[in-house]
Amino acid sequence: MGQNIISMRLIAPSILAANFNKLGDAIEMINQSEADYVHCDVMDGVFVPNISFGIPIVQDIHKISQKPLDVHLMIVNPERYIQDFFRAGASVITVHYETCPHLHRTIQQISDLGIKASVCLNPHTPVALLEDIIEELDMVLLMSVNPGFGGQKFIENTYSKVVALKEMILRKNSNALIEVDGGVNFEVGKKLYDSGADILVVGSFVFGSDHPAETIAALKRL
Ligand code: DX5
Ligand code: ZN
């Protein structure tokens, strides 16, 4: 694992792990913290076996968030809703590779709105499939658990995917940042940064800790 690989070391707390009765408090905590994004997990019960929240909630979060919204769409036909999530205040929109037969067009649709366009790969989807689109991407999100639920165990194979993706990004002269999502804690986070990950999504490890803002600060200094 290369210790001299450049990594942005950014943190995107996932509000999926927050207490939804106190969502405002969670956003306020994130505002006061060193977090770089608010990660919003949108699930449709079709692409993934869970339903979370949609456009109105993202809109309400945007009204009080001082951090940019990183919207992760775990939904089929995401191209139908890109405009809606843009209007709701998304700064980054991530679509899943597995849901986009016309991925290039969908990415173009996001980029044309002037926000960051990102593709997510499920744990079984090889990084090599991004070879012909990597130059168009602002970010790649690697799932390090199967999407649908917070609190799952990190899949170790993700480290080598980060390394392979970083190699592709450098070789292709792409500006894409690498984000990793699922099962991140201090130990995993350190290894991910050292492998070349730029942004870590962290849900239960932040919201389950006694002092979430301090945990976020510590994650940035791994
Ligand atoms: C899973 C979501 C993740 C999840 C991460 O489908 O995409 O963003 O909230 O949660 P933890 O950090 O608890 O694995
Ligand atoms: Zn996510």
Side-chain angles (χ1 to χ4, degrees), residues 22-153:
K22 297 181 178 169
L23 192 50
D25 291 354
I27 303 301
E28 196 45 43
M29 180 281 290
I30 294 172
N31 282 343
Q32 300 304 322
S33 79
E34 293 178 44
D36 300 280
Y37 290 97
V38 179
H39 186 81
C40 302
D41 287 307
V42 176
M43 304 178 183
D44 66 354
V46 178
F47 176 58
V48 289
N50 196 8
I51 300 176
S52 57
F53 53 81
I55 297 148
I57 300 284
V58 171
Q59 208 167 0
D60 280 355
I61 292 171
H62 182 243
K63 284 181 195 148
I64 59 168
S65 177
Q66 290 161 17
K67 311 277 177 165
L69 305 190
D70 169 29
V71 177
H72 178 189
L73 297 181
M74 285 164 273
I75 63 175
V76 296
N77 303 317
E79 67 284 350
R80 290 188 191 168
Y81 302 98
I82 284 164
Q83 184 76 30
D84 293 311
F85 282 104
F86 166 69
R87 285 211 198 98
S91 291
V92 183
I93 293 183
T94 297
V95 295
H96 267 258
Y97 180 90
E98 301 82 7
T99 62
C100 294
H102 303 287
L103 183 61
H104 190 279
R105 182 184 291 149
T106 307
I107 288 302
Q108 210 64 64
Q109 210 184 322
I110 302 171
S111 297
D112 286 350
L113 294 168
I115 57 173
K116 288 194 165 72
S118 161
V119 172
C120 185
L121 302 183
N122 269 344
H124 73 280
T125 305
V127 160
L129 291 171
L130 297 178
E131 189 79 29
D132 290 307
I133 195 152
I134 193 73
E135 288 150 288
E136 316 288 331
L137 303 179
D138 298 300
M139 195 174 99
V140 176
L141 176 53
L142 296 177
M143 284 312 301
S144 43
V145 297
N146 283 295
F149 303 92
Q152 302 180 80
K153 193 179 176 312

Side-chain angles (χ1 to χ4, degrees), residues 11 13 29-30 33-35 206 211-220:
I11 292 294
M29 180 281 290
I30 294 172
S33 79
E34 293 178 44
V206 162
H211 303 287
E214 287 172 25
T215 305
I216 291 168
L219 281 161
K220 288 190 62 107

